[in-house]
Amino acid sequence: EQMGADRMFMQIRIWLRAVERSTGVKPILYVNQMFVNNYLSKQPDLKRDYCVWIARYSEYKPDLRLTYWQLCPDGRVAGIQGDVDINVFNGYQSQFDEFIANETIQ
């Protein structure tokens, strides 16, 4: 199984570098708690070098600093019919504004 995980992370790193080269922006890792527990915890460079957006629909307990937390898949938003994912930014409005300014393609 470790060989499979090593190969997967080799491919993930190739993809991350290709996206950053192509867009000029580092991708955000969108993962779920099981992926964090089983795989990402063994990849300290990825946890350190990339923002993380986690889909976790229960109590907030990841062992990494989140940028975004997708806390439910069945939220309601005025003007949209049906369920929507509800996501929160991990910070204050001024931090979000700074994050967006630094992460957009120039």
Side-chain angles (χ1 to χ4, degrees):
E1 182 179 325
Q2 185 57 40
M3 290 290 288
D6 290 344
R7 182 177 168 91
M8 173 180 66
F9 278 103
M10 181 181 74
Q11 296 298 318
I12 287 171
R13 285 179 176 88
I14 290 169
W15 184 86
L16 290 168
R17 286 191 298 269
V19 169
E20 187 173 1
R21 243 187 342 268
S22 177
T23 66
V25 177
K26 269 191 177 182
I28 296 174
L29 298 173
Y30 177 74
V31 296
N32 64 25
Q33 186 65 53
M34 186 183 316
F35 186 83
V36 170
N37 294 348
N38 292 339
Y39 300 107
L40 199 57
S41 60
K42 299 173 186 125
Q43 308 299 321
D45 63 311
L46 294 180
K47 288 172 60 174
R48 178 192 65 233
D49 297 340
Y50 290 89
C51 293
V52 177
W53 183 345
I54 194 170
R56 181 180 169 94
Y57 304 140
S58 59
E59 191 176 341
Y60 173 80
K61 287 188 178 178
D63 71 339
L64 62 152
R65 172 136 185 359
L66 295 180
T67 301
Y68 292 102
W69 175 25
Q70 183 176 315
L71 56 109
C72 79
D74 54 1
R76 297 287 178 187
V77 174
I80 299 176
Q81 290 186 348
D83 295 342
V84 296
D85 295 340
I86 300 297
N87 300 278
V88 293
F89 177 78
N90 187 15
Y92 295 104
Q93 181 68 47
S94 59
Q95 293 168 309
F96 179 72
D97 294 341
E98 183 179 336
F99 175 79
I100 292 299
N102 290 331
E103 295 301 317
T104 56
I105 299 172
Q106 305 299 321

